[in-house]
Amino acid sequence: MNRLQEALSARVCIRNEFGLHARPAARIAEIARTAKRKVWIVRDDEKVDASSIIDLLTLAAFMGAELTLHIEDPMDRDVMERIVTLIENGFGE
C-alpha cells in the first residue's frame, strides 16, 4: 500500500458499549460534512455516506464491529484523523 492509500483509508473498531448509536453518528456526520469531498464508511459489504446520520445507523455497528473509512480527497486527511480519533476514544462515552 502506498502512502496516498494509507492517508485515504483507515480501519477502526467500535469500542464503546452502546456502539454507533444516534449521538455518535451525529458527531461523525458533523465532521464528515466539513470534508471537501465524500467520506465513506464500510462495514462488511455495506458502504455508506459518513455525512448521513441515517446511513451510519444502518450499519448496525455494535461494540466490536470493524469499520473502514475511505476518503476521496487527500486534502481531507484531518477529517479522517478526527473521525478515527473519535471512534478510537469510544465517542467519549
Coordinates of all heavy atoms in Angstrom, one line a residue:
M1 N 0.8 -1.2 0.0 CA 0.0 0.0 0.0 C 0.9 1.2 0.0 O 1.8 1.4 0.8 CB -0.9 0.0 1.2 CG -1.9 1.1 1.3 SD -3.0 1.0 2.7 CE -3.9 -0.5 2.4
N2 N 0.6 2.2 -0.9 CA 1.4 3.4 -0.9 C 0.9 4.4 0.1 O -0.1 4.3 0.6 CB 1.5 3.9 -2.4 CG 0.2 4.5 -2.8 OD1 -0.6 5.1 -2.1 ND2 -0.1 4.3 -4.1
R3 N 1.7 5.4 0.3 CA 1.4 6.4 1.3 C 0.0 7.1 1.1 O -0.7 7.4 2.0 CB 2.5 7.5 1.4 CG 3.8 6.9 2.0 CD 4.9 7.9 2.2 NE 4.6 9.1 2.9 CZ 4.4 9.2 4.2 NH1 4.4 8.1 5.0 NH2 4.3 10.3 4.8
L4 N -0.3 7.4 -0.2 CA -1.6 8.0 -0.5 C -2.7 7.1 -0.1 O -3.7 7.6 0.5 CB -1.6 8.3 -2.0 CG -2.9 8.9 -2.5 CD1 -3.1 10.3 -1.9 CD2 -2.9 9.1 -4.0
Q5 N -2.7 5.8 -0.4 CA -3.7 4.9 0.0 C -3.8 4.9 1.6 O -4.9 4.9 2.1 CB -3.5 3.5 -0.5 CG -3.7 3.4 -2.0 CD -3.3 2.1 -2.6 OE1 -2.3 1.5 -2.1 NE2 -4.1 1.6 -3.5
E6 N -2.7 4.9 2.3 CA -2.7 4.9 3.7 C -3.4 6.2 4.2 O -4.2 6.1 5.2 CB -1.3 4.8 4.3 CG -0.7 3.4 4.1 CD 0.8 3.4 4.5 OE1 1.1 4.3 5.4 OE2 1.5 2.6 4.1
A7 N -3.2 7.3 3.6 CA -3.8 8.5 4.0 C -5.3 8.6 3.8 O -6.0 9.3 4.4 CB -3.1 9.7 3.3
L8 N -5.7 7.8 2.8 CA -7.1 7.9 2.4 C -8.0 6.8 3.0 O -9.2 6.7 2.7 CB -7.2 7.8 0.9 CG -6.6 9.0 0.2 CD1 -6.6 8.8 -1.3 CD2 -7.2 10.3 0.6
S9 N -7.5 5.9 3.8 CA -8.3 4.8 4.3 C -7.7 4.4 5.7 O -6.6 4.5 5.9 CB -8.2 3.7 3.3 OG -8.2 2.4 3.8
A10 N -8.7 4.0 6.5 CA -8.3 3.6 7.9 C -9.3 2.6 8.4 O -10.5 2.7 8.1 CB -8.2 4.8 8.8
R11 N -8.8 1.6 9.2 CA -9.7 0.6 9.8 C -9.8 0.9 11.3 O -8.8 1.2 11.9 CB -9.1 -0.8 9.6 CG -9.3 -1.3 8.2 CD -8.9 -2.7 8.0 NE -9.6 -3.7 8.8 CZ -10.8 -4.1 8.5 NH1 -11.4 -3.7 7.4 NH2 -11.5 -5.0 9.2
V12 N -11.0 0.9 11.8 CA -11.2 1.1 13.2 C -12.2 0.1 13.8 O -13.0 -0.5 13.0 CB -11.7 2.6 13.4 CG1 -10.7 3.6 13.1 CG2 -13.0 2.9 12.6
C13 N -12.2 0.0 15.1 CA -13.1 -0.9 15.8 C -13.9 -0.1 16.7 O -13.4 0.8 17.5 CB -12.3 -2.0 16.5 SG -13.3 -3.2 17.4
I14 N -15.2 -0.3 16.7 CA -16.1 0.3 17.7 C -15.8 -0.2 19.1 O -15.8 -1.4 19.3 CB -17.6 0.1 17.3 CG1 -17.9 0.6 15.9 CG2 -18.5 0.7 18.4 CD1 -17.9 2.1 15.8
R15 N -15.5 0.7 20.0 CA -15.1 0.3 21.3 C -16.1 0.6 22.4 O -16.0 0.1 23.5 CB -13.8 1.1 21.7 CG -12.6 0.7 20.8 CD -11.4 1.5 21.2 NE -10.3 1.1 20.3 CZ -9.1 1.5 20.4 NH1 -8.8 2.3 21.4 NH2 -8.1 1.1 19.6
N16 N -17.0 1.5 22.2 CA -17.9 1.9 23.2 C -19.0 0.8 23.4 O -19.4 0.2 22.5 CB -18.5 3.3 23.0 CG -19.4 3.4 21.8 OD1 -19.0 2.9 20.8 ND2 -20.5 4.0 22.0
E17 N -19.5 0.7 24.6 CA -20.5 -0.3 25.0 C -21.8 -0.2 24.1 O -22.4 -1.3 23.8 CB -20.9 -0.1 26.4 CG -21.9 -1.1 27.0 CD -22.2 -0.9 28.4 OE1 -21.6 0.0 29.1 OE2 -23.1 -1.6 28.9
F18 N -22.2 0.9 23.7 CA -23.5 1.1 23.0 C -23.4 1.1 21.5 O -24.4 1.3 20.8 CB -24.3 2.3 23.6 CG -24.5 2.3 25.0 CD1 -23.8 3.1 25.9 CD2 -25.4 1.3 25.6 CE1 -24.0 3.0 27.3 CE2 -25.6 1.3 26.9 CZ -24.9 2.1 27.8
G19 N -22.2 1.0 21.0 CA -22.0 1.0 19.6 C -22.2 2.3 18.9 O -22.2 3.4 19.6
L20 N -22.4 2.3 17.6 CA -22.6 3.5 16.8 C -24.1 3.9 16.8 O -24.9 3.5 15.9 CB -22.1 3.3 15.4 CG -22.2 4.5 14.4 CD1 -21.5 5.7 15.0 CD2 -21.6 4.1 13.1
H21 N -24.5 4.5 17.9 CA -25.9 5.0 18.0 C -26.1 6.4 17.5 O -25.2 7.0 16.9 CB -26.5 4.7 19.4 CG -25.7 5.4 20.5 ND1 -25.9 6.7 20.9 CD2 -24.6 5.1 21.2 CE1 -25.1 7.1 21.8 NE2 -24.3 6.1 22.0
A22 N -27.2 7.0 17.7 CA -27.6 8.3 17.1 C -26.6 9.4 17.5 O -26.2 10.2 16.6 CB -29.0 8.7 17.5
R23 N -26.2 9.5 18.8 CA -25.3 10.7 19.2 C -24.0 10.5 18.5 O -23.5 11.5 17.9 CB -25.2 10.7 20.7 CG -24.9 12.0 21.2 CD -25.0 12.1 22.7 NE -25.3 10.7 23.2 CZ -26.2 10.4 24.1 NH1 -26.9 11.2 24.7 NH2 -26.5 9.2 24.4
P24 N -23.3 9.4 18.5 CA -22.0 9.3 17.8 C -22.1 9.4 16.3 O -21.3 10.0 15.7 CB -21.5 7.9 18.2 CG -22.2 7.5 19.5 CD -23.5 8.2 19.4
A25 N -23.2 8.9 15.8 CA -23.5 9.1 14.3 C -23.6 10.5 14.0 O -23.0 11.0 12.9 CB -24.7 8.3 13.9
A26 N -24.2 11.3 14.8 CA -24.4 12.7 14.5 C -23.0 13.4 14.6 O -22.7 14.3 13.8 CB -25.3 13.4 15.5
R27 N -22.1 13.0 15.5 CA -20.8 13.6 15.6 C -19.9 13.2 14.4 O -19.2 14.1 13.9 CB -20.1 13.1 16.9 CG -20.9 13.7 18.2 CD -20.3 13.3 19.5 NE -19.0 13.8 19.7 CZ -18.2 13.4 20.6 NH1 -18.5 12.5 21.4 NH2 -17.0 14.0 20.8
I28 N -20.0 12.0 14.0 CA -19.3 11.6 12.8 C -19.8 12.4 11.6 O -19.0 12.9 10.8 CB -19.4 10.1 12.5 CG1 -18.6 9.3 13.6 CG2 -18.9 9.7 11.1 CD1 -18.8 7.8 13.5
A29 N -21.1 12.5 11.4 CA -21.6 13.2 10.3 C -21.2 14.6 10.2 O -20.9 15.2 9.2 CB -23.2 13.0 10.3
E30 N -21.2 15.3 11.4 CA -20.8 16.7 11.5 C -19.4 16.9 11.0 O -19.1 17.8 10.3 CB -21.0 17.1 13.0 CG -20.6 18.6 13.2 CD -20.7 19.0 14.7 OE1 -21.1 18.1 15.5 OE2 -20.5 20.2 14.9
I31 N -18.5 16.0 11.4 CA -17.1 16.0 11.0 C -17.0 15.8 9.5 O -16.3 16.5 8.8 CB -16.2 15.1 11.8 CG1 -16.2 15.5 13.3 CG2 -14.8 15.0 11.2 CD1 -15.5 14.4 14.2
A32 N -17.7 14.7 9.0 CA -17.6 14.4 7.6 C -18.1 15.5 6.7 O -17.6 15.7 5.6 CB -18.4 13.1 7.4
R33 N -19.1 16.2 7.2 CA -19.6 17.4 6.4 C -18.6 18.5 6.1 O -18.8 19.3 5.3 CB -20.9 17.9 7.0 CG -22.1 17.0 6.8 CD -23.4 17.6 7.4 NE -24.3 16.6 7.6 CZ -24.9 16.3 8.8 NH1 -24.6 17.0 9.9 NH2 -25.7 15.3 8.9
T34 N -17.5 18.5 6.9 CA -16.5 19.5 6.7 C -15.5 19.1 5.6 O -14.7 20.0 5.2 CB -15.7 19.8 8.0 OG1 -15.0 18.7 8.4 CG2 -16.7 20.2 9.2
A35 N -15.6 17.9 5.1 CA -14.7 17.5 4.1 C -15.0 18.1 2.7 O -16.1 18.5 2.5 CB -14.8 15.9 3.9
K36 N -14.0 18.3 1.9 CA -14.1 18.9 0.6 C -14.9 17.9 -0.3 O -15.6 18.3 -1.2 CB -12.8 19.2 0.0 CG -12.1 20.3 0.7 CD -10.6 20.4 0.2 CE -9.8 21.5 0.9 NZ -9.9 21.6 2.3
R37 N -14.6 16.6 -0.1 CA -15.3 15.6 -0.9 C -15.9 14.5 0.0 O -15.8 14.7 1.2 CB -14.3 15.0 -1.9 CG -13.8 16.0 -2.9 CD -13.1 15.6 -4.1 NE -13.9 14.6 -4.9 CZ -13.3 13.7 -5.7 NH1 -12.0 13.7 -5.8 NH2 -14.0 12.8 -6.3
K38 N -16.4 13.4 -0.5 CA -17.1 12.4 0.2 C -16.2 11.6 1.2 O -15.0 11.4 0.9 CB -17.7 11.4 -0.7 CG -18.9 11.9 -1.4 CD -20.1 12.0 -0.5 CE -21.4 12.3 -1.3 NZ -22.5 12.5 -0.4
V39 N -16.8 11.3 2.3 CA -16.2 10.4 3.3 C -17.1 9.2 3.4 O -18.3 9.4 3.6 CB -16.0 11.1 4.7 CG1 -15.5 10.1 5.7 CG2 -15.1 12.3 4.6
W40 N -16.6 8.0 3.2 CA -17.4 6.8 3.3 C -17.0 5.9 4.4 O -15.8 5.9 4.8 CB -17.2 6.0 2.0 CG -17.5 6.8 0.7 CD1 -16.6 7.5 -0.1 CD2 -18.8 7.0 0.2 NE1 -17.3 8.1 -1.1 CE2 -18.6 7.8 -1.0 CE3 -20.1 6.5 0.5 CZ2 -19.7 8.1 -1.8 CZ3 -21.1 6.9 -0.3 CH2 -20.9 7.7 -1.4
I41 N -17.9 5.2 5.0 CA -17.6 4.2 6.0 C -18.2 2.9 5.5 O -19.4 2.8 5.1 CB -18.2 4.6 7.4 CG1 -17.5 5.9 7.8 CG2 -18.0 3.5 8.4 CD1 -17.9 6.3 9.2
V42 N -17.4 1.8 5.6 CA -17.8 0.5 5.2 C -17.8 -0.5 6.3 O -16.8 -0.5 7.1 CB -16.8 0.0 4.1 CG1 -17.2 -1.4 3.6 CG2 -16.7 1.0 2.9
R43 N -18.8 -1.3 6.4 CA -18.9 -2.4 7.4 C -19.3 -3.6 6.6 O -20.4 -3.6 5.9 CB -19.9 -2.2 8.5 CG -19.9 -3.4 9.4 CD -20.7 -3.1 10.7 NE -20.6 -4.3 11.5 CZ -21.6 -4.9 12.1 NH1 -22.8 -4.4 11.9 NH2 -21.5 -6.0 12.8
D44 N -18.5 -4.6 6.6 CA -18.7 -5.8 5.7 C -18.9 -5.4 4.3 O -18.0 -4.8 3.7 CB -19.9 -6.6 6.3 CG -19.7 -7.1 7.7 OD1 -18.5 -7.4 8.1 OD2 -20.7 -7.2 8.5
D45 N -20.1 -5.6 3.7 CA -20.3 -5.2 2.3 C -21.1 -4.0 2.1 O -21.5 -3.6 1.0 CB -21.0 -6.4 1.5 CG -20.1 -7.6 1.4 OD1 -18.9 -7.5 1.4 OD2 -20.7 -8.7 1.4
E46 N -21.4 -3.3 3.2 CA -22.2 -2.1 3.1 C -21.4 -0.8 3.2 O -20.6 -0.6 4.2 CB -23.2 -2.1 4.3 CG -24.3 -1.0 4.1 CD -25.4 -1.2 5.1 OE1 -25.4 -2.1 5.9 OE2 -26.3 -0.3 5.1
K47 N -21.5 0.1 2.2 CA -20.8 1.3 2.2 C -21.8 2.5 2.3 O -22.8 2.5 1.6 CB -20.0 1.4 0.8 CG -19.3 2.7 0.6 CD -18.6 2.6 -0.8 CE -17.9 3.9 -1.1 NZ -17.2 3.8 -2.4
V48 N -21.5 3.4 3.3 CA -22.5 4.5 3.5 C -21.7 5.8 3.5 O -20.5 5.9 3.8 CB -23.3 4.3 4.8 CG1 -24.1 3.0 4.8 CG2 -22.4 4.4 6.0
D49 N -22.5 6.8 3.2 CA -22.0 8.2 3.3 C -21.9 8.6 4.7 O -22.9 8.7 5.5 CB -23.0 9.1 2.5 CG -22.7 10.6 2.5 OD1 -21.7 11.0 3.2 OD2 -23.4 11.3 1.8
A50 N -20.7 9.0 5.2 CA -20.4 9.3 6.6 C -21.1 10.6 7.0 O -21.2 10.9 8.2 CB -18.9 9.3 6.8
S51 N -21.5 11.4 6.0 CA -22.2 12.7 6.4 C -23.7 12.5 6.7 O -24.4 13.4 7.0 CB -22.0 13.7 5.3 OG -22.7 13.4 4.1
S52 N -24.2 11.3 6.5 CA -25.6 11.0 6.8 C -25.8 10.2 8.0 O -25.4 9.0 8.1 CB -26.2 10.2 5.6 OG -27.4 9.7 5.9
I53 N -26.5 10.8 9.0 CA -26.7 10.1 10.3 C -27.5 8.8 10.0 O -27.2 7.7 10.5 CB -27.5 11.0 11.3 CG1 -26.6 12.2 11.6 CG2 -27.9 10.2 12.5 CD1 -27.4 13.3 12.3
I54 N -28.5 8.9 9.2 CA -29.4 7.7 8.9 C -28.6 6.6 8.3 O -28.7 5.4 8.6 CB -30.6 8.1 8.0 CG1 -31.5 9.1 8.7 CG2 -31.4 6.9 7.6 CD1 -32.1 8.7 10.0
D55 N -27.7 7.0 7.3 CA -26.9 6.0 6.6 C -26.0 5.3 7.7 O -25.8 4.1 7.6 CB -26.0 6.6 5.5 CG -26.8 6.9 4.3 OD1 -28.0 6.7 4.2 OD2 -26.2 7.3 3.3
L56 N -25.4 6.1 8.5 CA -24.5 5.5 9.6 C -25.2 4.5 10.5 O -24.7 3.5 10.8 CB -23.8 6.6 10.4 CG -22.8 7.5 9.6 CD1 -22.4 8.7 10.5 CD2 -21.6 6.7 9.3
L57 N -26.4 4.9 10.8 CA -27.2 4.0 11.7 C -27.6 2.7 11.0 O -27.7 1.6 11.7 CB -28.5 4.7 12.2 CG -28.2 5.9 13.1 CD1 -29.5 6.6 13.4 CD2 -27.5 5.4 14.4
T58 N -27.7 2.6 9.7 CA -28.0 1.4 9.0 C -26.9 0.4 9.1 O -27.1 -0.8 8.8 CB -28.3 1.6 7.5 OG1 -27.2 2.1 6.8 CG2 -29.5 2.6 7.4
L59 N -25.7 0.8 9.5 CA -24.6 -0.1 9.6 C -24.7 -1.1 10.8 O -24.1 -2.1 10.8 CB -23.2 0.7 9.8 CG -22.8 1.4 8.6 CD1 -21.5 2.2 8.9 CD2 -22.5 0.5 7.4
A60 N -25.6 -0.7 11.7 CA -25.8 -1.5 13.0 C -24.4 -1.9 13.5 O -24.2 -3.1 13.8 CB -26.7 -2.8 12.6
A61 N -23.6 -1.0 13.8 CA -22.2 -1.2 14.2 C -22.2 -1.2 15.8 O -22.1 -0.2 16.4 CB -21.3 -0.1 13.7
F62 N -22.3 -2.4 16.3 CA -22.2 -2.6 17.7 C -20.8 -2.7 18.2 O -19.8 -2.7 17.4 CB -23.0 -3.9 18.1 CG -24.4 -3.8 17.7 CD1 -24.9 -4.5 16.6 CD2 -25.3 -3.0 18.4 CE1 -26.2 -4.5 16.2 CE2 -26.7 -3.0 18.0 CZ -27.1 -3.7 16.9
M63 N -20.6 -2.7 19.6 CA -19.3 -2.8 20.1 C -18.5 -4.0 19.5 O -19.1 -5.1 19.4 CB -19.4 -3.0 21.6 CG -18.0 -3.1 22.3 SD -18.3 -3.2 24.1 CE -16.6 -3.1 24.7
G64 N -17.3 -3.8 19.1 CA -16.5 -4.8 18.4 C -16.6 -4.8 16.9 O -15.8 -5.5 16.2
A65 N -17.5 -4.1 16.3 CA -17.7 -4.0 14.9 C -16.4 -3.3 14.3 O -16.0 -2.3 14.8 CB -18.9 -3.3 14.5
E66 N -16.0 -3.9 13.2 CA -14.8 -3.2 12.4 C -15.4 -2.4 11.3 O -16.2 -2.9 10.5 CB -13.9 -4.3 12.0 CG -13.1 -4.9 13.1 CD -12.0 -5.8 12.7 OE1 -11.7 -5.9 11.5 OE2 -11.4 -6.5 13.5
L67 N -14.9 -1.2 11.2 CA -15.3 -0.3 10.1 C -14.0 0.1 9.3 O -13.0 0.2 9.9 CB -16.0 1.0 10.7 CG -17.1 0.8 11.6 CD1 -17.6 2.1 12.2 CD2 -18.3 0.0 10.9
T68 N -14.2 0.4 8.1 CA -13.2 1.0 7.2 C -13.7 2.4 6.7 O -14.8 2.5 6.2 CB -12.9 0.1 6.0 OG1 -12.5 -1.2 6.5 CG2 -11.7 0.7 5.2
L69 N -12.8 3.4 7.0 CA -13.1 4.7 6.5 C -12.4 4.9 5.2 O -11.2 4.6 5.1 CB -12.7 5.8 7.5 CG -13.6 6.0 8.7 CD1 -13.5 4.8 9.6 CD2 -13.2 7.3 9.4
H70 N -13.1 5.5 4.2 CA -12.4 5.9 2.9 C -12.7 7.4 2.7 O -13.9 7.8 2.9 CB -13.0 5.1 1.8 CG -12.7 3.6 1.8 ND1 -11.5 3.1 1.6 CD2 -13.5 2.6 2.2 CE1 -11.5 1.8 1.7 NE2 -12.7 1.5 2.1
I71 N -11.7 8.1 2.2 CA -11.9 9.5 2.0 C -11.4 9.8 0.5 O -10.5 9.2 0.1 CB -11.1 10.3 3.0 CG1 -11.6 11.7 3.0 CG2 -9.6 10.2 2.8 CD1 -11.3 12.5 4.3
E72 N -12.2 10.6 -0.2 CA -11.9 10.8 -1.6 C -10.8 11.8 -1.9 O -10.2 11.8 -2.9 CB -13.2 11.3 -2.3 CG -14.2 10.2 -2.4 CD -15.5 10.6 -3.2 OE1 -15.6 11.7 -3.6 OE2 -16.3 9.7 -3.3
D73 N -10.6 12.8 -1.0 CA -9.7 13.9 -1.3 C -8.5 13.8 -0.2 O -8.8 14.0 1.0 CB -10.4 15.2 -1.2 CG -9.5 16.4 -1.6 OD1 -8.3 16.3 -1.6 OD2 -10.1 17.4 -2.1
P74 N -7.3 13.6 -0.7 CA -6.2 13.6 0.3 C -6.0 14.8 1.1 O -5.5 14.8 2.2 CB -5.0 13.3 -0.6 CG -5.4 13.4 -2.0 CD -6.8 13.5 -2.0
M75 N -6.6 15.9 0.7 CA -6.5 17.2 1.4 C -7.4 17.1 2.7 O -7.3 18.0 3.6 CB -6.9 18.4 0.6 CG -6.0 18.6 -0.6 SD -4.3 18.9 -0.1 CE -4.5 20.5 0.6
D76 N -8.3 16.1 2.8 CA -9.2 16.0 3.9 C -8.6 15.0 4.9 O -9.4 14.4 5.7 CB -10.6 15.5 3.4 CG -11.4 16.5 2.7 OD1 -11.3 17.7 3.1 OD2 -12.1 16.2 1.7
R77 N -7.4 14.8 4.9 CA -6.7 13.9 5.9 C -7.1 14.2 7.3 O -7.3 13.4 8.2 CB -5.2 13.9 5.7 CG -4.6 12.9 6.6 CD -3.1 12.8 6.4 NE -2.6 11.8 7.3 CZ -1.5 11.1 7.1 NH1 -0.8 11.4 6.0 NH2 -1.1 10.2 7.9
D78 N -7.2 15.5 7.7 CA -7.6 15.9 9.0 C -8.9 15.4 9.4 O -9.2 15.1 10.6 CB -7.4 17.4 9.2 CG -8.4 18.2 8.3 OD1 -8.5 17.8 7.1 OD2 -9.0 19.2 8.8
V79 N -9.8 15.4 8.4 CA -11.2 14.9 8.7 C -11.1 13.4 9.0 O -11.7 13.0 10.0 CB -12.1 15.1 7.4 CG1 -13.4 14.4 7.6 CG2 -12.3 16.6 7.2
M80 N -10.3 12.7 8.3 CA -10.2 11.2 8.6 C -9.6 11.1 10.0 O -10.1 10.2 10.8 CB -9.2 10.6 7.6 CG -8.8 9.2 7.9 SD -10.0 8.0 7.5 CE -10.0 8.0 5.7
E81 N -8.6 11.8 10.3 CA -7.9 11.7 11.6 C -8.9 12.0 12.8 O -8.9 11.4 13.8 CB -6.7 12.6 11.7 CG -5.6 12.0 10.8 CD -4.4 13.0 10.7 OE1 -4.4 14.1 11.3 OE2 -3.4 12.6 10.0
R82 N -9.7 13.0 12.6 CA -10.7 13.4 13.6 C -11.8 12.3 13.8 O -12.1 12.0 14.9 CB -11.4 14.7 13.2 CG -10.5 15.9 13.4 CD -11.0 17.2 12.8 NE -12.3 17.6 13.4 CZ -13.2 18.3 12.8 NH1 -13.0 18.8 11.6 NH2 -14.4 18.6 13.4
I83 N -12.2 11.7 12.7 CA -13.2 10.6 12.8 C -12.6 9.4 13.5 O -13.2 8.8 14.4 CB -13.8 10.3 11.5 CG1 -14.7 11.4 11.0 CG2 -14.7 9.0 11.6 CD1 -15.2 11.3 9.5
V84 N -11.4 9.0 13.1 CA -10.7 7.9 13.7 C -10.5 8.1 15.2 O -10.8 7.2 16.0 CB -9.3 7.6 13.0 CG1 -8.5 6.6 13.7 CG2 -9.6 7.1 11.5
T85 N -10.0 9.3 15.6 CA -9.8 9.6 17.0 C -11.1 9.5 17.8 O -11.1 8.9 18.8 CB -9.2 11.0 17.1 OG1 -7.9 11.0 16.5 CG2 -9.0 11.3 18.6
L86 N -12.2 10.0 17.2 CA -13.5 10.0 17.8 C -13.9 8.5 18.1 O -14.3 8.2 19.2 CB -14.5 10.7 17.0 CG -15.9 10.7 17.5 CD1 -16.0 11.6 18.7 CD2 -16.9 11.3 16.4
I87 N -13.8 7.7 17.1 CA -14.2 6.3 17.2 C -13.2 5.5 18.2 O -13.7 4.8 19.1 CB -14.2 5.6 15.9 CG1 -15.3 6.2 15.0 CG2 -14.4 4.1 16.0 CD1 -15.2 5.7 13.5
E88 N -11.9 5.7 18.1 CA -11.0 5.1 18.9 C -11.1 5.5 20.4 O -10.8 4.7 21.3 CB -9.5 5.3 18.5 CG -9.2 4.6 17.2 CD -7.8 4.8 16.7 OE1 -7.1 5.8 17.2 OE2 -7.3 4.0 15.9
N89 N -11.6 6.7 20.6 CA -11.9 7.1 22.0 C -13.3 6.8 22.5 O -13.7 7.3 23.5 CB -11.6 8.6 22.1 CG -10.2 9.0 22.0 OD1 -9.3 8.2 22.3 ND2 -9.9 10.2 21.5
G90 N -13.9 5.9 21.8 CA -15.2 5.4 22.2 C -16.3 6.5 22.3 O -17.2 6.5 23.1
F91 N -16.1 7.5 21.4 CA -17.1 8.6 21.3 C -17.2 9.4 22.6 O -18.2 10.1 22.8 CB -18.5 8.1 20.8 CG -18.4 7.3 19.6 CD1 -18.7 6.0 19.6 CD2 -18.2 7.9 18.4 CE1 -18.6 5.2 18.4 CE2 -18.2 7.2 17.2 CZ -18.4 5.8 17.2
G92 N -16.2 9.3 23.5 CA -16.2 10.0 24.7 C -17.2 9.5 25.7 O -17.5 10.1 26.7
E93 N -17.7 8.3 25.5 CA -18.7 7.7 26.4 C -18.1 6.8 27.4 O -17.1 6.2 27.2 CB -19.7 6.9 25.6 CG -20.5 7.8 24.6 CD -21.6 7.0 23.8 OE1 -21.5 5.8 23.7 OE2 -22.4 7.7 23.3

